[in-house]
Amino acid sequence: MRHHLIAALVCLAPCAPCATAPLAAQANPDARTLGWQVRADRPTTDPAILSFVEMKPGFHITTGKFSGIMYHPEMTGTGTFEATMKVHFFPPPGQHHEGYGLIVGGKELAGADVRYLYFLIRNSGEFLIKSRQGAETTEIVAWTSNDAIKTLPPDATGGTTALNQLTVRAAGDVVRFLVNGTVVATRPRTSLDVDGVVGIRANHNLNLHVSEIEVTTPGEPAGN
């Protein structure tokens, strides 16, 4: 089964929709009107401060003071599957080290017993793997440098972006975490709960364009 809610096309800088994304986002529909749901890390945070709009191909996200997850309940991965996201990181002022990436294994995402696993990267060239259950988080892999992660220099301006592809591949008794096709970590399937909703996580003060997010199973062609 394929769960593919975003066109599998990549918007490359200086592509006009991406290069002008912060302005163009104002004229595009809010993703929440398309069935996507949002959960802030802090209950006191107003989710309305998050700009999360459809901008084909994909979605544009400007978090501001929001930090949390975005997900569509129908996008799930179970058994043997591969969850993939292509995401453009836009230059902020200075060197910005907030994390963004994929969630898998989502359960009770709107409730007090929220659970999910998250695989993030940040513009320092590092990745992180953690799990959340309720208000508690568990570190699986601490922030770790890896040359596979594409970054922007502190003085990056204009339409320049860093495009990265994040993948969580669950097959057999192993879960693999990949950045741009390179395996950066592996863990036994028995140690992780990866079956459930797949979605997006973004911390505060980020400007991102997710040009693709999909879940595939073996035997399915990618990008359709």
Side-chain angles (χ1 to χ4, degrees), residues 11 30 32-33 36 44 46 48 53 59 62 80 89 102 120 122 129 133 135 142 145 154 168 181 183 222:
C11 181
D30 192 298
R32 284 161 279 207
T33 66
W36 284 78
T44 56
D46 182 359
V53 298
F59 298 113
T62 308
T80 298
F89 173 80
L102 270 172
L120 308 184
R122 63 185 182 186
I129 304 171
Q133 183 165 354
S145 296
V168 178
V183 176

Side-chain angles (χ1 to χ4, degrees), residues 50-134:
L50 169 70
S51 175
F52 178 35
V53 298
E54 183 185 41
M55 185 182 298
K56 296 180 180 180
F59 298 113
H60 199 85
I61 300 167
T62 308
T63 57
K65 294 182 179 180
F66 175 93
S67 178
I69 61 173
M70 291 137 272
Y71 61 96
H72 196 294
E74 295 181 3
M75 179 176 281
T76 60
T78 59
T80 298
F81 71 91
E82 184 169 291
T84 300
M85 180 173 76
K86 292 181 180 178
V87 56
H88 299 256
F89 173 80
F90 283 79
Q95 185 77 5
H96 191 56
H97 289 171
E98 290 297 328
Y100 58 95
L102 270 172
I103 71 165
V104 296
K107 298 177 179 66
E108 303 294 331
L109 294 181
D113 191 29
V114 55
R115 286 166 284 162
Y116 60 86
L117 181 80
Y118 51 110
F119 174 37
L120 308 184
I121 59 174
R122 63 185 182 186
N123 200 47
S124 58
E126 298 170 297
F127 72 93
L128 170 78
I129 304 171
K130 293 181 75 173
S131 65
R132 175 178 294 276
Q133 183 165 354

